[in-house]
Amino acid sequence: MYRQGDVLIVPLDESAVPPHAADVDQEPRDARGRMVLALGEVTGHAHAVLGPGRLVREPGDFGPLLLHLPDGGRVVHEEHAAIPLPKGWYRVVRQREYIPGAVRIVAD
């Protein structure tokens, strides 16, 4: 497992990847060509992955992201050290927080 700030990146065995992941439209890359896992609403900083691959969103309010890196990649952020990721599939989960009566994604 890997953590960078409020983003958790969990390696997935190929058998645990949902069959529909290959057919779902991938999330668009940002203007710099990065796959953005989480964007800081206040700072504009981003937890992003560099390198070839696909990022797809699972359905639901807190739908996790599925990340496929056929050649490996690097998670980068302006305020954190880069994290190298080996090739494979990953589930990306944003940290959540409880507020009375609701749950929300942590804002950066």
Side-chain angles (χ1 to χ4, degrees):
M1 271 191 267
Y2 306 88
R3 178 172 287 285
Q4 189 182 67
D6 58 353
V7 175
L8 178 66
I9 303 166
V10 182
L12 286 179
D13 187 82
E14 188 85 26
S15 65
V17 177
H20 67 273
D23 301 325
V24 176
D25 290 337
Q26 65 184 9
E27 293 288 299
R29 291 179 180 250
D30 70 359
R32 294 165 52 184
R34 305 174 305 171
M35 294 177 279
V36 176
L37 308 179
L39 181 63
E41 297 83 2
V42 176
T43 63
H45 294 164
H47 297 278
V49 175
L50 304 175
R54 296 184 72 233
L55 183 64
V56 297
R57 184 172 304 280
E58 288 280 85
D61 292 341
F62 300 114
L65 297 167
L66 296 174
L67 174 65
H68 181 230
L69 299 174
D71 301 322
R74 264 184 337 130
V75 183
V76 297
H77 186 278
E78 292 82 354
E79 297 174 339
H80 299 281
I83 300 173
L85 297 175
K87 69 180 182 177
W89 281 91
Y90 299 88
R91 182 173 306 278
V92 180
V93 182
R94 296 277 309 273
Q95 185 170 329
R96 299 173 199 135
E97 63 186 352
Y98 173 78
I99 55 172
V103 175
R104 68 178 182 191
I105 298 282
V106 171
D108 190 18

